[in-house]
């Protein structure tokens, strides 16, 4: 059974999430903002074997000593994030951007991390737990890159 489908804007990289997400988390950290071009990114985390790309994964770039991100080289869509090295043991999930899902309404964030790093002109509606830094439950697992 497939939980959801997604792709980049030009449809070069299409994927299926084979299971429901383990974690859906909004992030306002500077790293995610720089790499996605948005003050707020929602990441959908599944077990690493629970995502299947139709034509292979998008090219990944090592964005810090402990993380890689995938973007479509044709349309520029930010698609994936994953931990590498020792951090992969602490955070074994594979993340896709919620906005790359065919139906982003299938998921909603259970928390927002690094809310304290958002631009001063950006605010989010109340109702979702916000953390100035990392999630108390997941610790530094949400620190995504090098722009901190």
């Amino acid at each position: 059974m497939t939980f959801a489908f997604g792709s980049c804007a030009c449809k070069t990289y299409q994927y299926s999430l084979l299971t429901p997400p383990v974690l859906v988390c909004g992030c306002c950290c500077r790293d995610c903002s720089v790499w996605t071009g948005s003050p707020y990114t929602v990441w959908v985390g599944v077990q690493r074997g629970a995502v299947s790309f139709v034509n292979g994964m998008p090219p990944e770039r090592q964005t810090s000593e402990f993380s890689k991100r995938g973007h479509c080289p044709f349309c520029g869509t930010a698609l994936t994030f994953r931990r590498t090295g020792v951090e992969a043991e602490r955070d074994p999930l594979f993340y896709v951007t919620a906005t790359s899902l065919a139906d982003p309404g299938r998921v909603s964030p259970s928390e927002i991390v690094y809310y304290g790093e958002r631009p001063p002109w950006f605010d989010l509606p109340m109702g979702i737990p916000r953390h100035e830094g990392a999630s108390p439950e997941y610790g530094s697992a949400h620190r995504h890159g090098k722009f901190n």
Side-chain angles (χ1 to χ4, degrees):
M1 182 180 115
T2 299
F3 173 77
F5 298 98
S7 71
C8 61
C10 71
K11 307 274 191 260
T12 298
Y13 293 97
Q14 299 176 36
Y15 64 87
S16 299
L17 297 182
L18 306 176
T19 65
V22 174
L23 173 69
V24 180
C25 180
C27 187
C28 294
C29 79
R30 181 74 178 131
D31 310 323
C32 288
S33 294
V34 169
W35 287 102
T36 65
S38 173
Y40 175 66
T41 305
V42 177
W43 292 104
V44 179
V46 296
Q47 295 298 328
R48 291 194 184 209
V51 62
S52 175
F53 280 88
V54 175
N55 296 317
M57 280 185 49
E60 291 183 305
R61 179 180 208 138
Q62 189 83 37
T63 56
S64 77
E65 65 276 8
F66 54 82
S67 64
K68 287 187 176 185
R69 294 173 188 267
H71 287 77
C72 176
F74 304 106
C75 66
T77 301
L79 282 169
T80 66
F81 170 83
R82 69 183 174 97
R83 297 271 175 213
T84 59
V86 195
E87 292 292 319
E89 295 171 16
R90 287 186 25 206
D91 184 11
L93 300 180
F94 184 90
Y95 297 88
V96 296
T97 52
T99 52
S100 69
L101 292 173
D103 180 7
R106 297 258 355 236
V107 299
S108 60
S110 59
E111 65 181 349
I112 300 166
V113 295
Y114 294 100
Y115 193 69
E117 293 185 23
R118 75 192 187 290
W121 46 261
F122 181 73
D123 200 9
L124 289 166
M126 298 303 288
I128 302 171
R130 303 172 187 196
H131 309 290
E132 290 299 305
S135 165
E137 183 176 354
Y138 294 97
S140 65
H142 292 294
R143 181 45 103 192
H144 298 302
K146 64 181 180 182
F147 294 100
N148 39 42

